[in-house]
């Protein structure tokens, strides 16, 4: 008689309460540079900066850790933003001409950003000039006047409207039409031509009743709002691009479409002025591009800064993105690698000050933010504590290292400081310092490592809200490439004109795609790391505090093992340099292991205590002893039909097309053959179904109420030999009495290889082991019946806990593993999780994720979840990300589902492929090429902005208005910079702000509102993580299949004995 054991027992209230104390899903902060920025603003009083994006996001930055994020209701481009100085309020203009007022409000001592009011201009009512409300047409420019209480709106039709900012309502009777301005213009200037759109509006710093209006045709007018008349008129004839009004009001500067700028005197009488005082084309005489924006800043020394963008010679340098800085006789042409969005200077704005005295210049580019110190000779760049361009070269992989020791942290920081030393005379500091960071100092240091297409690995401080760059490791210097030639071309001679100066670090072009970093691994206790690349190169590096000059040992490992019938058709290996090479302080290469064929490395792991590194490609895996500089093992995993594995990753597009074509052919063939044999093959079909049922659901394991039938994968599928994961463990493999070093490897075809290693033990008290050779013997070989790719392998000790990292137990940095009870190995495939006992490797328990949920596993990690109610209580669980973008958490070793959340949109293939989990229940994934979204699955371990801002405006009226306005979803999936936790409807939840001991209500924790990324909808990354054919198949799944899966899930839920927490 069969005995069925159902997984879903009745809900245990005690367990449900414990889950609420352990698990909670929050998208907390976005690290990196905003994707597709479109507008910039700066508040000189509060020292905060705002960046708007094409997706409608508004991001405000102050001191490191002070961040606010908001998202407009409509996905529209933010074209302009203006701070109301000192008030913590921001006026934004979208490309649909709507205006939105944002306010930084405080709740429970912490601040966050809310949209208070919005204003949609009336649609064009025709040409009824008698109507009180003229059509605004399209708003082209906004100017805040009267201390921010009023805004002037310039339009495409040439009119200027006035808006009451506190209520966002138009002020009737104050509209300035072009006809009124033309009355002050001589008849010969009118000559039937329209003035064109309003291109610029400028206010007078000391006289708020005056407004400088610039029209596209070139006419400049100083308009007196009180007297309703023109004080001065400047009859320009060149198409206007930008205006700047000098601090005293006596000088105007206009820039034009022909690459020229003109200086006008405002003190030369009342008659219309026809000629400027100075008119020059700085990069003439040949035709130049337009000067899009110009600034004039005076100094106490008597001279002044003229800063402008554009104006380059059209034929020679029309494709350059430049900002020119001119002071007296000194001209520097700042040459950037991406398009200029906007720029501002940090200077004195107090009316009583006589001079601007600019301290810094901030330039917002499409791909980065650059700040220059204008008070230091040479105008050096100021290192940014945040907003670093993560994608200065495209991100190809990432890894997180938790609990970094203080000594290693200091050494990495020191190496980074030596890479970019600041001049001794520089008194520069980051000028955007507004607000206060209220978050406590992080209890542990976290490193985020990103590998890039140009062969670099960047180290980031991921301990807090601000992702700070620490150090950059470059591997290109070890190989012969064209880097030096490219660098020499970039060095301009001193007598070259224009005087270009390369600024910024965004450089998306790689000299050689083979340099791309595919995998990284770091041992935080020995400061050793492994970097593996696209051309099969595996580098073992060690941190050194001093520069050195030394040769690098080179070894090759043939993974094909002389197998016949395979010819590599991909790229060549990289040629290493020979002889001693200079290496700066930092991570310096010791050994280069070259895999043959030189295919991209798909898995790597490092065990510093045994001095071993394991690596895998699409052909097999190898084990290398980097202490003795000798290979230990090489195993080919290719199937006879694995011809696709020989084409190489650089023919990925062709391979992808071929795979999709083969898939569609198989589907078509199965349909046709199915029709043919439908009549006479009923018995065979029943027999096959019985075999499938036998494979998918053996009788001796637990049953579940409803399971999908999964088609077993063919043994000869393309790329079946790809090594997906590698793992070292000290466990029981040969027998239950003796444990020892082992190495585990999992492949794309569901094969698991376990090797017993003979590693010479180190002498007591010694760091290094003896020089005897390491030996590897195949101990076990497991073939999963469903043949799904093996995503991860982990050994659990007698208490069901994962084994500690190398050196953790021997140095008393972690609890020693239980070597008395029986060990178990957890094998996670794309379709199910399974725990086997050791050393017998017999199935103990499993969970069929694909059969239950209709999804496939993409990323897994073991994480520790600490309780918010009890300081000492924590559970180790398995976190899993699926191809549908959901995150599931399972108990270990029982594999019981705990919670699951919707995290990433299922269409965001690149975001899913880039996800990385941390050891403490957090994670990162790319929402754009330049931004990581940080999320937390832990109720206790949350990294989110916690800040306040000193603002000076009446808060009571605003609070009343905020209660009436609906809560908006925030940008890019971050649920507000909500500096208290947010409940399901988005309102601040006072529960958690009272203290860590007060858990959130169940609704808030177990049913989080999923807010999709505002930027990732139209974003496709070039190279991020391992995007496989399966990912694309998931993305191309039919809507019928999706509906069927949802229907099955609903039926599954209805039949369940208990509710599965989601």
């Amino acid at each position: 008689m069969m005995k069925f054991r159902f997984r879903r027992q009745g809900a245990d209230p005690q367990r449900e309460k414990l889950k609420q104390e352990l698990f909670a899903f929050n998208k907390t902060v976005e690290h990196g540079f905003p994707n597709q920025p479109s507008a910039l603003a700066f508040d000189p009083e509060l020292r905060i900066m705002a960046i708007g994006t094409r997706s409608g996001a508004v991001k405000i930055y102050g001191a490191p850790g002070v961040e606010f994020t908001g998202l407009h209701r409509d996905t529209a481009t933010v074209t302009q933003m203006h701070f109301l100085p000192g008030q913590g309020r921001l006026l934004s203009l979208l490309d649909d001409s709507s205006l939105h007022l944002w306010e930084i409000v405080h709740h429970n001592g912490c601040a966050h950003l809310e949209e208070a009011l919005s204003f949609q201009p009336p649609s064009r009512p025709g040409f009824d000039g008698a109507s009180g409300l003229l059509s605004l047409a399209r708003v082209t420019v906004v100017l805040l006047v009267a201390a921010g209480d009023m805004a002037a709106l310039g339009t495409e039709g040439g009119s200027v409207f006035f808006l009451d900012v506190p209520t966002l309502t138009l002020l009737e009777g104050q509209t300035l039409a072009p006809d009124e301005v033309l009355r002050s213009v001589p008849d010969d200037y009118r000559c039937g031509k329209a003035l064109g759109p309003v291109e610029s509006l400028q206010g007078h710093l000391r006289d708020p009743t005056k407004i400088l209006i610039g029209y596209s045709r070139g006419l400049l007018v100083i308009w007196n709002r009180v007297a309703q008349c023109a004080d001065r008129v400047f009859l320009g004839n060149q198409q206007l691009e930008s205006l700047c009004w000098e601090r005293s009001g006596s000088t105007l500067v206009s820039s034009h479409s022909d690459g020229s700028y003109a200086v006008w005197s405002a003190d030369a009488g009342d008659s219309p002025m026809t000629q400027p005082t100075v008119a020059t084309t700085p990069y003439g005489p040949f035709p130049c591009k337009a000067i899009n924006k110009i600034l004039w800043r005076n100094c106490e020394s008597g001279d002044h800064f003229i800063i402008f963008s554009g104006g380059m010679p059209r034929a020679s340098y029309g494709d350059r993105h430049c900002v020119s800085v001119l002071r007296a006789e000194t001209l520097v042409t700042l040459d950037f690698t991406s398009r200029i969005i906007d720029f501002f200077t940090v200077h004195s704005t107090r009316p009583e000050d006589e001079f601007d005295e600019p301290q810094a210049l901030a330039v917002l580019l499409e791909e980065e933010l650059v700040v220059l110190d204008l008070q230091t000779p040479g105008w050096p760049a100021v290192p940014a504590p945040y907003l670093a361009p993560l994608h200065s070269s495209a991100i190809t992989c990432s890894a997180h290292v938790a609990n970094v020791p203080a000594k290693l942290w200091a050494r990495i920081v020191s190496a980074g400081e030596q890479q970019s030393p600041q001049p001794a005379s520089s008194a520069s500091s980051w000028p955007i310092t507004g607000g206060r960071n209220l978050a406590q100092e992080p209890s542990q240091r976290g490193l985020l490592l990103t590998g890039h297409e140009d062969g670099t690995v960047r180290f980031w401080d991921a301990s807090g809200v601000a992702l700070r760059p620490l150090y950059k490791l470059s591997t290109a210097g070890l190989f012969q490439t064209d880097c030096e030639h490219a660098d020499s071309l970039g060095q301009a001679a001193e007598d070259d004109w224009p005087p270009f100066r390369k600024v910024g670090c965004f450089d998306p072009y790689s000299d050689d795609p083979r340099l791309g970093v595919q995998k990284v691994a770091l041992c935080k206790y020995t400061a050793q790391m492994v970097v593996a690349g696209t051309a099969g190169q595996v580098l073992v590096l060690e941190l050194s505090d001093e520069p050195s000059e030394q040769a690098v040992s080179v070894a090759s490992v043939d993974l094909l093992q002389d197998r016949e019938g395979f010819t590599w058709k991909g790229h060549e290996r990289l040629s290493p340099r020979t002889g001693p090479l200079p290496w700066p302080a930092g991570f310096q290469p010791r050994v280069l292991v070259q895999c043959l064929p030189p295919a991209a490395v798909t898995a790597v792991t490092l065990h510093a205590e045994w001095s071993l590194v394991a690596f895998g490609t699409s052909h097999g895996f190898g084990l290398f002893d980097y202490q003795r500089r000798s290979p230990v093992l090489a195993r080919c995993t290719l199937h006879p039909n694995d011809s696709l594995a020989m084409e190489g990753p650089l023919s990925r597009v062709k391979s992808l097309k071929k795979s999709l074509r083969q898939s569609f052919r198989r589907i078509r063939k199965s349909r046709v053959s199915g029709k043919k044999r439908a009549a006479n093959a009923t018995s065979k079909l029943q027999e096959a179904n019985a075999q499938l049922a036998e494979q998918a659901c053996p009788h001796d394991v637990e049953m579940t109420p409803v399971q999908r039938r999964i088609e077993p994968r063919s043994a000869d599928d393309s790329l079946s030999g790809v090594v997906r994961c590698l793992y070292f463990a000290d466990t029981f493999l040969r027998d239950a009495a003796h444990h020892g070093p082992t190495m585990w490897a999992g492949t794309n075809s569901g094969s698991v290889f376990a090797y017993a290693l003979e590693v010479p033990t180190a002498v007591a008290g010694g760091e290094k082991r003896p020089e005897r050779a390491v030996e590897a013997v195949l101990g076990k070989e497991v073939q999963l019946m469903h043949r799904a790719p093996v995503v991860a392998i982990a050994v659990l000790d007698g208490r069901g806990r994962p084994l500690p990292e190398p050196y953790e137990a021997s140095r008393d940095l972690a609890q020693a593993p239980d070597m008395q009870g029986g060990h178990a190995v957890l094998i996670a495939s794309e379709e199910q999780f399974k725990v086997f006992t050791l050393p017998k490797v017999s199935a103990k328990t499993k969970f069929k994720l694909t059969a239950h949920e209709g999804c496939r596993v993409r990323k897994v990690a073991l994480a520790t979840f600490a309780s918010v109610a009890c300081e000492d209580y924590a559970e180790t669980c398995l976190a899993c990300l699926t191809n549908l973008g959901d995150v599931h958490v399972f108990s270990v070793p029982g594999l019981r589902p705990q919670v699951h959340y919707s995290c990433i949109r299922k269409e965001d293939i690149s975001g899913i492929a880039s996800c990385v989990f941390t050891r403490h229940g957090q994670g990162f994934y790319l929402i754009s090429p330049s931004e990581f979204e940080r999320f937390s699955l832990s109720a206790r371990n949350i990294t989110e902005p916690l800040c306040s801002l000193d603002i000076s405006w009446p808060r009571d009226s605003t609070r009343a208005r905020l209660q009436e306005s609906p809560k908006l979803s925030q940008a890019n999936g971050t649920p507000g910079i909500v500096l208290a936790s947010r409940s399901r409807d988005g309102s601040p939840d006072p529960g958690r702000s009272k203290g860590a001991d007060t858990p959130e209500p169940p609704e808030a924790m177990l049913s989080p509102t999923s807010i999709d990324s505002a930027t990732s909808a139209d974003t496709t990354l070039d190279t991020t993580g391992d995007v496989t054919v399966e990912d694309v198949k998931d993305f191309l799944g039919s809507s019928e299949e999706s509906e069927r899966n949802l229907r099955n899930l609903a039926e599954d839920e209805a039949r369940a004995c208990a509710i599965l927490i989601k």
Side-chain angles (χ1 to χ4, degrees):
M1 180 178 177
M2 281 195 331
K3 181 180 180 182
F4 290 90
R5 289 179 293 161
F6 288 89
R7 291 184 180 278
R8 298 173 183 173
Q9 309 296 326
D12 180 5
Q14 195 66 29
R15 182 61 190 170
E16 298 304 310
K17 181 176 183 297
L18 189 57
K19 285 179 183 178
Q20 296 173 24
E21 296 168 355
L22 291 172
F23 310 112
F25 180 73
N26 291 284
K27 290 185 179 179
T28 54
V29 67
E30 292 156 13
H31 295 302
F33 185 78
N35 187 45
Q36 297 182 323
S38 56
L40 178 68
F42 180 66
D43 187 335
E45 293 188 24
L46 295 180
R47 290 279 181 141
I48 55 177
M49 173 185 69
I51 295 177
T53 71
R54 290 189 204 170
S55 60
V58 175
K59 295 167 178 272
I60 298 179
Y61 302 91
V66 177
E67 295 185 14
F68 308 93
T69 304
L71 181 66
H72 291 90
R73 288 186 181 88
D74 300 322
T75 304
T77 300
V78 182
T79 56
Q80 293 181 43
M81 294 188 299
H82 301 272
F83 275 108
L84 280 64
Q87 300 183 25
R89 294 195 282 183
L90 178 77
L91 191 65
S92 62
L93 172 69
L94 305 186
D95 60 357
D96 61 359
S97 291
S98 64
L99 288 160
H100 303 261
L101 183 64
W102 296 84
E103 297 178 337
I104 297 174
V105 296
H106 286 71
H107 288 291
N108 301 319
C110 300
H112 65 271
L113 186 64
E114 297 273 6
E115 181 181 347
L117 296 169
S118 63
F119 167 75
Q120 184 68 48
S123 58
R124 189 185 298 269
F127 298 97
D128 182 12
S131 83
L133 261 177
L134 293 176
S135 166
L136 263 71
R138 187 176 71 87
V139 177
T140 55
V141 64
V142 177
L143 170 69
L144 292 175
V145 292
D149 291 335
M150 183 188 298
L153 311 179
T155 67
E156 201 169 38
S159 300
V160 179
F161 294 81
F162 291 91
L163 191 75
D164 179 59
V165 172
T167 59
L168 282 194
T169 55
L170 282 176
L171 298 173
E172 297 187 22
Q174 296 196 30
T175 301
L176 176 60
D179 295 343
E180 296 182 56
V181 175
L182 285 172
R183 295 191 194 119
S184 306
V185 174
D187 292 340
D188 59 342
Y189 188 83
R190 298 180 201 173
C191 60
K193 292 183 181 178
L195 296 178
V198 177
E199 288 290 341
S200 183
L201 292 173
Q202 296 291 320
H204 195 294
L205 185 64
R206 294 170 182 168
D207 188 353
T209 63
K210 295 182 179 180
I211 297 177
L212 174 61
I213 308 171
Y215 294 91
S216 177
R217 181 178 163 188
L219 176 68
L220 313 180
V221 176
I222 297 179
W223 184 262
N224 191 315
R225 286 191 303 109
V226 177
Q228 291 288 301
C229 66
D231 284 357
R232 293 298 314 276
V233 176
F234 307 88
L235 306 178
N237 289 306
Q238 191 62 44
Q239 181 176 332
L240 183 70
E241 293 288 332
S242 173
L243 273 178
C244 182
W245 205 347
E246 187 261 337
R247 186 183 190 90
S248 65
S250 61
T251 304
L252 318 176
V253 187
S254 61
S255 68
H256 303 278
S257 61
D258 62 348
S260 67
Y261 69 84
V263 181
W264 307 78
S265 173
D267 298 332
D270 295 332
S271 60
M273 191 172 181
T274 57
Q275 293 297 326
T277 308
V278 177
T280 180
T281 305
Y283 295 110
F286 298 108
C288 295
K289 299 196 76 173
I291 293 179
N292 301 310
K293 180 175 179 177
I294 191 165
L295 297 178
W296 175 296
R297 300 288 182 253
N298 58 20
C299 304
E300 193 172 1
S301 58
D303 53 13
H304 53 263
F305 281 93
I306 295 179
I307 305 169
F308 59 89
S309 61
M312 303 309 296
R314 189 176 294 274
S316 307
Y317 304 107
D319 59 342
R320 299 285 188 102
H321 310 287
C322 297
V323 170
S324 301
V325 183
L326 174 64
R327 181 178 185 181
E329 300 300 319
T330 304
L331 173 65
V332 173
T333 308
L334 305 173
D335 188 11
F336 301 99
T337 55
S338 57
R339 189 170 60 90
I340 296 160
I341 304 298
D342 201 354
F343 58 92
F344 64 83
T345 58
V346 180
H347 62 278
S348 171
T349 56
R350 292 179 298 182
E352 59 269 20
D353 290 342
E354 190 175 349
F355 302 101
D356 293 310
E357 289 296 335
Q359 305 159 21
L361 169 66
V363 184
L364 176 66
L365 308 160
E366 197 165 40
E367 307 293 352
E368 61 183 322
L369 178 77
V370 176
V371 176
L372 300 179
D373 178 11
L374 297 181
Q375 294 184 323
T376 301
W379 304 331
V382 180
Y386 50 82
L387 281 178
L390 301 174
H391 63 319
S392 50
S393 174
I395 295 177
T396 49
C397 68
S398 55
H400 185 270
V401 183
N403 299 321
V404 178
K407 185 177 180 181
L408 174 62
W409 188 271
R411 294 177 67 191
I412 292 174
V413 170
S414 174
E417 289 173 347
Q418 293 182 55
Q419 286 183 329
S420 55
Q422 292 298 305
S425 61
S426 173
S428 64
S429 60
W430 187 249
I432 302 158
T433 57
R436 293 192 309 277
N437 183 11
L438 304 179
Q440 296 180 350
E441 276 294 310
S443 57
Q444 54 94 15
R445 297 290 183 182
L447 269 180
L448 182 65
L449 310 180
T450 54
H452 297 263
E453 198 177 41
D454 61 355
T456 59
V457 178
R458 287 171 167 81
F459 290 63
W460 308 89
D461 177 4
S463 311
V465 171
L467 192 69
R468 184 168 61 99
L470 297 179
Y471 166 73
K472 183 177 81 170
L473 162 67
S474 178
T475 62
L478 181 59
F479 304 101
Q480 296 176 10
T481 61
D482 299 330
C483 295
E484 297 82 4
H485 179 63
D487 290 343
S488 62
L489 291 177
Q491 301 295 328
E494 290 186 4
D495 56 351
D496 279 356
W497 180 262
F500 287 120
R501 173 179 153 196
K502 283 282 185 187
V503 183
C505 62
F506 177 72
D507 183 12
Y509 307 106
S510 174
D511 295 291
D512 193 328
R514 296 176 296 173
L515 289 170
V517 176
Q518 294 297 320
K519 299 291 176 183
V520 293
L522 171 67
C523 175
K524 59 190 177 186
Y525 301 114
T526 59
Q528 295 174 344
M529 75 178 298
V530 177
V531 178
T534 304
Q537 70 271 27
V538 180
L539 268 171
V540 181
L541 306 101
E542 191 170 0
L543 183 60
S544 174
D545 299 327
E546 299 294 333
S548 66
E549 186 168 334
Q550 59 185 6
V552 177
S553 302
V554 180
S556 298
V557 176
D558 182 11
L559 297 179
L560 286 183
Q561 295 292 289
D562 301 324
R563 186 174 293 200
E564 297 179 358
F566 290 97
T567 305
W568 174 248
K569 303 173 186 176
H571 50 262
E572 295 294 322
R573 59 183 285 182
L574 285 164
S575 300
R577 300 178 185 276
T578 56
L581 299 172
W583 302 107
F587 282 92
Q588 300 172 354
R590 297 289 185 256
V591 183
L592 168 62
V593 184
Q594 179 63 56
C595 300
L596 297 176
V601 177
T602 55
V604 75
T605 187
L606 170 71
H607 201 295
E609 200 165 358
W610 302 336
S611 299
L612 295 176
V613 58
F615 45 86
T617 69
S618 54
H619 306 126
F621 56 88
L623 180 63
F624 191 85
D625 179 354
Y626 60 85
Q627 180 176 316
R628 299 183 72 247
R629 270 52 168 189
S630 63
V632 177
L633 167 72
R635 171 72 183 253
C636 181
T637 55
L638 280 178
H639 190 272
N641 292 340
D642 251 353
S643 59
L644 197 60
M646 305 307 292
E647 294 184 3
L650 299 187
S651 59
R652 178 69 59 84
V653 176
K654 183 173 68 175
S655 304
L656 187 60
K657 288 180 179 177
K658 184 176 178 182
S659 300
L660 290 173
R661 196 180 300 120
Q662 289 174 347
S663 300
F664 284 121
R665 282 175 181 170
R666 279 200 297 267
I667 294 170
R668 195 179 303 118
K669 186 177 177 181
S670 65
R671 286 174 180 168
V672 173
S673 60
K675 291 176 183 178
K676 287 181 179 179
R677 65 172 185 266
N680 58 4
T682 308
S683 59
K684 290 184 179 180
L685 187 61
Q686 291 173 347
E687 183 181 342
N689 281 340
Q691 291 177 357
L692 286 178
E694 195 72 28
Q695 290 182 6
C697 188
H699 296 301
D700 58 343
V701 296
E702 307 177 286
M703 300 292 293
T704 53
V706 175
Q707 291 188 17
R708 291 166 181 79
R709 177 162 290 156
I710 307 302
E711 181 183 351
R713 306 188 186 208
S714 171
D716 59 352
D717 274 352
S718 298
L719 297 175
S720 62
V722 175
V723 177
R724 293 290 295 270
C725 61
L726 292 161
Y727 178 69
F728 285 118
D730 184 355
T731 187
F732 301 90
L733 188 61
R734 290 173 170 161
D735 56 59
H738 303 90
H739 62 87
T742 61
M743 186 196 78
W744 301 71
T747 72
N748 233 20
S749 60
S751 298
V752 177
F753 304 92
Y755 283 83
L757 308 178
E758 288 290 342
V759 180
T761 55
V763 183
E767 284 289 327
K768 288 192 175 182
R769 59 176 175 78
E771 287 293 328
R772 295 202 315 273
V774 176
E775 296 180 5
V777 179
L778 181 62
K780 305 287 182 183
E781 185 172 343
V782 180
Q783 176 62 59
L784 301 179
M785 294 292 289
H786 55 292
R787 295 187 178 277
V790 179
V791 180
I793 301 171
V795 171
L796 308 175
D797 68 4
R799 292 186 292 263
R801 298 175 181 172
L803 299 183
E805 294 183 15
Y807 285 112
E808 273 191 335
S810 60
R811 296 185 179 181
D812 295 329
L813 299 168
Q815 185 177 3
D818 181 4
M819 307 304 278
Q820 304 301 321
H823 282 200
V825 60
L826 168 63
I827 298 177
S829 74
E830 280 193 359
E831 294 180 3
Q832 66 183 27
F833 309 118
K834 204 164 188 178
V835 175
F836 297 88
T837 61
L838 290 176
K840 291 184 178 181
V841 193
S842 58
K844 184 178 180 182
T845 182
K846 68 179 176 181
F847 184 85
K848 297 180 179 179
L849 185 70
T850 303
H852 284 288
E853 307 293 342
C855 54
R856 297 188 187 277
V857 178
R858 285 291 173 260
K859 303 281 181 176
V860 294
L862 288 166
T864 301
F865 294 86
S867 169
V868 294
C870 178
E871 287 283 334
D872 300 326
Y873 185 77
E875 288 186 11
T876 299
C877 296
L878 181 71
C880 152
L881 175 71
T882 72
N883 63 324
L884 302 182
D886 297 333
V887 177
H888 298 249
V889 179
F890 298 89
S891 65
V892 173
L895 296 182
R896 295 191 177 276
Q898 301 301 302
V899 288
H900 84 255
Y901 308 104
S902 178
C903 180
I904 310 174
R905 293 181 308 108
K906 66 178 181 180
E907 298 85 1
D908 188 4
I909 300 174
S910 298
I912 294 171
S914 66
C915 181
V916 57
F917 289 105
T918 76
R919 289 181 60 183
H920 299 289
Q922 295 194 35
F924 302 84
Y925 68 92
L926 287 171
I927 52 175
S928 74
S930 59
E931 287 175 291
F932 272 112
E933 175 77 74
R934 187 174 192 141
F935 64 90
S936 175
L937 304 172
S938 170
R940 180 170 165 185
N941 185 27
I942 301 175
T943 302
E944 62 181 351
L946 202 65
C947 48
S948 67
L949 196 65
D950 293 327
I951 51 180
S952 56
W953 53 282
R955 300 188 178 109
D956 296 335
S957 59
T958 305
R959 283 207 182 103
R961 188 164 66 242
L962 283 173
Q963 290 173 358
E964 300 171 5
S965 65
K967 174 72 184 77
L968 296 177
S969 56
Q970 303 296 326
N972 294 4
T974 304
I977 303 307
V978 186
L979 308 151
S981 71
R982 308 197 69 74
S983 62
R984 186 174 185 177
D985 64 356
S987 59
D989 179 11
R992 204 174 79 210
S993 62
K994 294 177 183 177
D997 295 332
T998 309
E1000 292 190 25
E1003 294 81 9
M1005 296 187 75
L1006 304 179
S1007 303
T1009 304
S1010 173
I1011 304 169
D1012 285 338
S1013 165
T1015 58
S1016 60
D1018 302 317
T1019 301
T1020 303
L1021 305 189
D1022 296 329
T1023 51
T1024 307
D1026 305 319
V1027 181
T1028 65
V1029 177
E1030 292 297 325
D1031 294 318
V1032 181
K1033 288 179 183 174
D1034 297 331
F1035 178 60
L1036 296 176
S1038 67
S1039 58
E1040 296 177 3
E1041 183 181 352
S1042 302
E1043 291 173 3
R1044 191 164 58 250
N1045 287 343
L1046 288 173
R1047 195 160 53 246
N1048 290 344
L1049 277 173
E1051 294 170 0
D1052 194 14
E1053 294 283 338
R1055 293 191 187 98
C1057 299
I1059 298 175
L1060 184 65
I1061 299 177
K1062 294 190 174 180

